[in-house]
Amino acid sequence: DTGVSQNPRHKITKRGQNVTFRCDPISEHNRLYWYRQTLGQGPEFLTYFQNEAQLEKSRLLSDRFSAERPKGSFSTLEIQRTEQGDSAMYLCASSLNWGTADSYEQYFGPGTRLTVT
Amino acid sequence: DQQVKQNSPSLSVQEGRISILNCDYTNSMFDYFLWYKKYPAEGPTFLISISSIKDKNEDGRFTVFLNKSAKHLSLHIVPSQPGDSAVYFCAAKYSGAGSYQLTFGKGTKLSVIP
């Protein structure tokens, strides 16, 4: 168990550019979550996958944001036409569910810090 | 509208004493609560959780208490150690079927003084 990994750890981009982040969850975990955290705030939910299906999306996830988990393993989060307000830490988390046993504990990666200049 | 509130941005405690971190929530539909610890440049680390059907859960030095009528929970750390210095987040989950998103408070920065 190597934990949740995220790449890159840091990304600096110019306003208007597209960026893509990758998350690799804990290998046996079937649920994957994306959160965004800004300075002085707690993480805010963006979206959630169960296997490859995207089941929940927050109002925070504007049309410029898209997330995928094509094979139910790793996930990508893309932001198109970045704005300065997108500058934040983007956190990925995963959790495990099987049968009737439901686990609500989510395990977080180290995050990708995005700076839009 | 902040549904999970941690009203103390910071807390300082002497090593060996008890640390008490507080959290209030406004939504009675929350049915599961979690505490996370976060060090700088790392993601949040799960600490301890409690279901709304319980009023206490203990794990080593960490105990979480839930008062549903007051919509209040607290995390007790006894004894506090310098390595406990971090930001602590309270989080809550809705009871709706198939809803797994967590709603976080803004965090409390705990400093344990040697």
Side-chain angles (χ1 to χ4, degrees):
Chain A
D1 179 0
T2 58
V4 178
S5 62
Q6 292 187 246
N7 288 288
R9 294 291 306 274
H10 303 274
K11 178 71 177 179
I12 300 174
T13 191
K14 292 185 177 180
R15 188 177 53 188
Q17 298 294 305
N18 299 344
V19 294
T20 300
F21 310 138
R22 175 178 169 128
C23 170
D24 288 89
I26 293 171
S27 58
E28 65 269 26
H29 284 186
N30 57 341
R31 294 187 189 147
L32 187 147
Y33 313 79
W34 285 99
Y35 290 82
R36 181 177 71 184
Q37 185 176 17
T38 53
L39 196 63
Q41 304 293 319
E44 296 174 290
F45 172 79
L46 292 177
T47 190
Y48 146 68
F49 291 84
Q50 176 140 330
N51 300 313
E52 66 274 9
Q54 188 173 16
L55 298 184
E56 277 189 273
K57 290 166 69 171
S58 162
R59 292 189 305 270
L60 294 175
L61 210 67
S62 76
D63 292 344
R64 298 184 297 105
F65 287 69
S66 63
E68 295 183 342
R69 195 183 183 199
K71 296 182 180 179
S73 56
F74 73 91
S75 175
T76 58
L77 177 68
E78 180 183 17
I79 309 174
Q80 295 182 328
R81 305 180 304 282
T82 52
E83 302 172 355
Q84 286 187 322
D86 297 330
S87 296
M89 175 74 83
Y90 289 85
L91 293 162
C92 175
S94 68
S95 67
L96 176 64
N97 152 262
W98 77 94
T100 56
D102 224 353
S103 171
Y104 303 128
E105 288 80 21
Q106 298 178 17
Y107 296 86
F108 284 81
T112 294
R113 179 167 295 285
L114 172 66
T115 302
V116 181
T117 61
Chain B
D1 180 29
Q2 196 79 9
Q3 298 189 68
V4 176
K5 301 177 184 179
Q6 295 177 257
N7 292 319
S8 298
S10 62
L11 175 69
S12 290
V13 173
Q14 287 290 131
E15 180 179 3
R17 306 293 290 268
I18 184 172
S19 295
I20 300 176
L21 296 104
N22 294 304
C23 177
D24 297 292
Y25 62 95
T26 58
N27 195 325
S28 57
M29 295 299 290
F30 289 139
D31 68 347
Y32 199 82
F33 302 90
L34 307 92
W35 284 94
Y36 283 83
K37 176 171 75 173
K38 186 179 184 305
Y39 294 118
E42 295 183 11
T45 302
F46 170 72
L47 265 180
I48 192 169
S49 60
I50 188 167
S51 165
S52 60
I53 62 174
K54 296 185 177 181
D55 56 17
K56 178 183 175 181
N57 188 26
E58 193 171 353
D59 184 2
R61 297 186 298 114
F62 302 92
T63 303
V64 56
F65 295 91
L66 175 62
N67 182 333
K68 279 186 66 176
S69 60
K71 294 190 177 67
H72 177 82
L73 64 156
S74 60
L75 174 68
H76 293 211
I77 306 173
V78 182
S80 301
Q81 299 173 354
D84 296 329
S85 296
V87 178
Y88 288 78
F89 291 98
C90 171
K93 186 195 81 65
Y94 286 104
S95 60
S99 176
Y100 298 101
Q101 63 169 286
L102 298 180
T103 301
F104 285 81
K106 292 185 177 184
T108 296
K109 184 177 182 179
L110 173 65
S111 300
V112 179
I113 304 163

